[in-house]
Structure formats: C-alpha cells, structure tokens
RNA sequence: GGGUCGGUAGCUCAGUCGGUAGAGCACGGGACUGAAAAUCCCGGUGUCGGCAGUUCGAUUCUGCCCUGACCCA
C-alpha cells in the first residue's frame, strides 16, 4: 500500500515594517484567492486600540474576513505562544472551508512562533516577573544578571546584563524546569515547518518609508488618536497597561499630562515608529525565504502568490 | 551707525592655555524563542561661518568681511 504524504497546509504570509502597506496589499490580494486574513500584530489583538495601531477599518474588515483582531481587553495578557495557538486554529478552520489563510502583520516573533513553534517552556508567571523586576529596580539589572549567572551561567553568558526582560525570562525558565533556556533554544531555531508557506515582504526605500510613517502619524492625530486614549483611560484602563505603553499611546499620554506640545507629540510618535520599523527590518533581514516587494506592486505580488498556490508541494531551494 | 554676545555633526550645545574636536538626541548597524509597538547592544557621520595675518603648525590668537540675537542711537 502506498501512503501519500499528507500535504502541509498552504499559507500566504505578508510581512514587513510598519507603514509599508501590508494591510492594503492583504485586502487587495485575499479576495482574489478566496483568502481570509489572520492578523499577526501584537497590538491589533487589543480591543479599543484602533487608530494608534493602524487597525484595518471596520469596512475593510467587512470586505475580507479578519481573525485575531480585537480578541483581548487592553489589560489582559497576550503572548507569542497564545498567538501561535490561536492562529493555528484559525488556519485549520480556514483550510477546512477550502479557503486560503493570509497571515498579515509585522510582529516577527509571532510569525516565527506560528510557523516554527516555540521552545518548550513555562508560561509567564506575573508574580515571579514582578518580584524580579522589583529586584532589578532596587539593585540594578546587573545584580539580577549575577543571580542568573549563579543559577544558569550559559544563559547569563548570552544575555546582556542590562537586558532585564530576557534575564527575567531565563530565570523563569530555570525555576520552573531546572533547565537552561539556551539549551532549548540551541537546537530549536524555529525549524519546525508546520506549514508550506510563501513569505511576501513589503518594504520601501528608507526615506520613503519614513515619509509614510510621518504622514501616518499626522493622520492618526487627525483621526482622533487623542480622543481614543481619553476613552481608554475613562474606561478605567490604567496607563501602565502594556498596550498603552506602546509608542503611539505613551506619547499621547505625555501630551495629556501637559508634558509635550502637540507638535512634539507628533514628532516623537513618528520617531518611535521609525525606530520600530528599523527593529522589524533587522528581524526580517535574517530570513532569506522572504520575497521582497515595494508597496503598490500588486500585479507582481499576485503573480507570485498564484504561482505558489498552484505549485506542487516542493520546498523552494534556499 | 556704535556696542555686547553668538556662528563647531542633521539638531541642541561642550571643548581645544595653538598640535585639525566630543556629548545628548537624530541617523546607521545588530541582538531577540511564552512582555516583542517590549527589552537590549554597538557605531561619530565635521571645510570648527569666510578670507587674510602671526606661527613649524590656527577651529583656537589678531584683523577685515559675512551672518544671527540683543542693547544704545
């Protein structure tokens, strides 16, 4: 008896730095291939954060089915692991309907953990994290790094003494499993390959991208970003909660406290967004499976997606 | 017209008792495995306003010019 190898689910990924035109491209492409969109954006999962996260507008979300937008409240926790799990379920459902999943977003870690899985490890322990964070504030992050060094020297060697977030995660993994986070990372490398995918990268010339970022910041303010923040605060969400600490929102709160003029607020939002775009590009650059396009190259993108969807399931050669 | 204080990196400024200069931010590069729009690391990119003088050597001292702010007329 011959057992045919089960084909891996086919998914289309659209990724790239912020403001490169991913949303637009996705809304244009998905209907042509009877696709549904799964947002891979760590901020668009939050309800009520619409303008500042450049969430697709209501009518855009109606034109194509969207998933993993507005799934948690702003004071809830979300994580790469949860994303990978939920996005995986969405993919199953979409494929069961004979449709094509389009994963669209700029959160590189989310995309990689969906495609390649995360290392085995304990979930976040908020109390433990708060405890170590206090320690770092009182004694300095280097002191916390010393503590990690005593328990898990291999992890300490790979994590910078100032990188509090990673020091804490390494300690968390150590305490729950008694094993080093690095021994797990070493062989993992997001290599799992759960899906057969094409990665469409969207990017523009740096100067052009920066112009788009500045224009978008202007538009967000015109569209009512300040009101959005006031609404969030009046709903009772504390300004400390994670999504409100993200770049578009924290500057608005500084403005509301009178610490920034509106012009300063705009330029700081634009600056922080530029920095973010650069970090995203650094993340994506090391992935040589991405096929890069400029914004507005719909025809070429469509052609590439079509070839991928019609091709037999053979992995492209590196 | 006279006077005072300025002109140094993209911006704000420091500095050189004469040996061609350095901070913050911007900007560039990088890391990243359950916080990732988070967190962190590395990098100075320059006719020192212009021209002349003194000097072995001038961004630094002198003179003139240009230019900005302020003050007096």
């Amino acid at each position: 008896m011959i057992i045919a190898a089960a084909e891996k689910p086919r998914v289309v990924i659209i990724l790239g730095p912020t403001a490169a035109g991913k949303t637009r491209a996705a809304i244009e492409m998905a209907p042509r291939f009877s696709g549904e969109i799964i947002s891979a954006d760590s901020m668009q999962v939050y309800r009520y954060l619409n303008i500042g996260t450049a969430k697709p507008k209501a009518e855009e979300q109606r034109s194509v089915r969207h998933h993993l937008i507005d799934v948690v409240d702003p004071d809830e926790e979300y994580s790469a692991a949860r994303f990978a799990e939920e996005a995986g379920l969405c993919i199953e459902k979409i494929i069961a309907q004979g449709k094509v999943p389009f994963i669209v977003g700029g959160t590189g870690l989310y995309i990689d953990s969906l495609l390649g899985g995360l290392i085995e490890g304990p979930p976040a322990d908020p109390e433990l994290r708060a405890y170590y964070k206090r320690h770092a504030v009182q004694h300095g992050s280097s002191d916390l790094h010393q503590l990690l060094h005593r328990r898990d020297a291999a992890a300490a060697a790979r994590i910078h003494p100032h990188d509090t977030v990673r020091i804490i995660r390494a300690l968390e993994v150590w305490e729950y499993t008694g094993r080093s986070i690095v021994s797990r990372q070493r062989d993992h490398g997001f290599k799992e390959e759960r899906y057969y995918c094409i990665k469409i990268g969207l990017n523009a010339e740096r100067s052009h991208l920066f112009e788009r970022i500045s224009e978008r910041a202007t538009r967000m303010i015109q569209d009512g970003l300040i009101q959005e923040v006031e609404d969030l605060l009046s709903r009772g969400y504390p300004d400390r909660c994670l999504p409100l600490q993200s770049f578009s929102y924290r500057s608005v709160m500084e403005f509301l406290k009178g610490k920034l003029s509106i012009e300063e607020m705009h330029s700081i939002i634009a600056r922080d967004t530029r920095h973010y775009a650069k970090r995203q590009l650094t993340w994506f650059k090391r992935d040589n499976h991405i096929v890069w396009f400029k914004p507005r190259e719909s025809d070429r993108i469509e052609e590439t997606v079509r070839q991928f969807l019609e091709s037999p399931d053979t992995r492209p050669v590196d």
Side-chain angles (χ1 to χ4, degrees):
Chain A
M1 189 170 95
I2 295 165
I3 300 164
E7 194 182 83
K8 282 181 186 169
R10 278 180 203 230
V11 302
V12 177
I13 321 272
I14 299 180
L15 51 76
T18 188
K22 298 184 293 294
T23 299
R24 184 198 182 94
I27 287 167
E28 227 173 287
M29 286 307 132
R32 303 184 193 177
F33 299 98
S34 66
E36 292 188 5
I37 291 170
I38 300 171
S39 161
D41 185 302
S42 65
M43 287 297 131
Q44 293 183 2
V45 296
Y46 292 106
R47 297 186 190 101
Y48 319 121
L49 285 83
N50 302 328
I51 298 168
T53 62
K55 208 176 269 178
K57 302 214 171 11
E59 69 263 24
E60 290 176 319
Q61 292 195 47
R62 274 194 297 274
S63 72
V64 187
R65 178 95 195 268
H66 280 68
H67 304 264
L68 299 189
I69 288 178
D70 295 338
V71 292
V72 288
D73 284 336
D75 55 355
E76 277 182 69
E77 281 184 21
Y78 204 78
S79 67
R82 186 164 163 193
F83 172 80
E85 157 105 37
E86 291 175 356
L89 294 173
C90 291
I91 290 173
E92 278 179 32
K93 273 193 254 166
I94 293 166
I95 287 180
Q97 294 166 38
K99 294 183 173 176
V100 179
F102 279 67
I103 321 290
V104 181
T107 305
L109 175 64
Y110 280 17
I111 295 171
D112 286 351
S113 38
L114 169 65
L115 302 180
L118 286 165
I119 56 162
E120 260 180 68
D125 176 341
E127 275 180 40
L128 188 88
R129 289 183 180 192
Y131 170 80
Y132 282 132
K133 201 167 182 177
R134 246 178 283 126
H135 183 104
V137 170
Q138 281 166 17
H139 304 96
S141 62
S142 298
D143 197 84
L144 199 63
H145 190 260
Q146 283 294 313
L147 185 68
L148 176 65
H149 180 76
R150 269 177 255 128
R151 298 193 183 156
D152 181 356
R158 277 200 40 208
I159 299 170
H160 193 277
H162 294 168
D163 195 346
T164 317
V165 168
R166 287 200 172 71
I167 296 169
I168 292 175
R169 176 58 181 163
L171 285 165
E172 192 172 58
V173 171
W174 180 262
E175 294 205 6
Y176 275 91
T177 66
R179 292 186 52 192
S180 171
I181 189 168
V182 299
S183 67
R184 308 207 159 176
Q185 286 173 349
R186 200 177 304 127
D187 303 312
H188 185 275
F190 295 113
K191 297 193 285 255
E192 216 175 288
E193 300 196 353
R194 296 172 174 173
Y195 304 101
Y196 181 33
C197 66
I198 180 140
K199 293 177 179 171
I200 305 287
L202 246 47
N203 193 15
E205 290 289 317
R206 187 65 61 95
S207 58
H208 185 216
L209 185 69
F210 282 9
E211 275 170 37
R212 291 173 67 111
I213 286 171
S214 176
E215 284 160 13
R216 198 170 71 176
T218 307
R219 211 175 321 122
M220 281 180 182
I221 294 166
Q222 281 168 1
D223 290 351
L225 180 62
I226 295 164
Q227 186 64 45
E228 180 165 287
V229 173
E230 285 176 329
D231 290 348
L232 276 156
L233 294 173
S234 70
R235 276 173 193 274
Y237 294 113
D239 57 7
R240 294 174 303 284
C241 68
L242 200 92
L244 283 176
Q245 288 303 319
S246 68
F247 54 72
S248 294
Y249 293 93
R250 62 178 169 223
S251 300
V252 175
M253 289 189 300
E254 294 290 286
F255 165 77
L256 289 174
K257 287 177 191 158
K259 291 183 184 167
L260 294 177
S261 70
I262 198 155
E263 292 80 15
E264 288 169 327
M265 179 186 85
H266 172 273
S267 70
I268 291 173
I269 290 173
R271 181 200 64 190
D272 290 348
T273 311
R274 291 196 296 271
H275 291 171
Y276 173 54
K278 224 163 91 57
R279 271 179 274 133
Q280 289 176 298
L281 284 166
T282 301
W283 181 282
F284 292 132
K285 263 184 218 167
R286 65 182 170 184
D287 185 343
N288 51 25
H289 296 295
I290 300 172
V291 191
W292 288 99
F293 295 90
K294 299 252 179 285
R296 312 285 210 140
E297 285 192 292
S298 310
D299 292 348
R300 287 188 54 221
I301 294 170
E302 182 175 354
E303 185 50 35
T304 306
V305 172
R306 173 156 287 125
Q307 273 179 23
F308 162 74
L309 290 174
E310 289 170 358
S311 68
D313 185 0
T314 47
R315 305 248 112 207
V317 214
D318 282 10

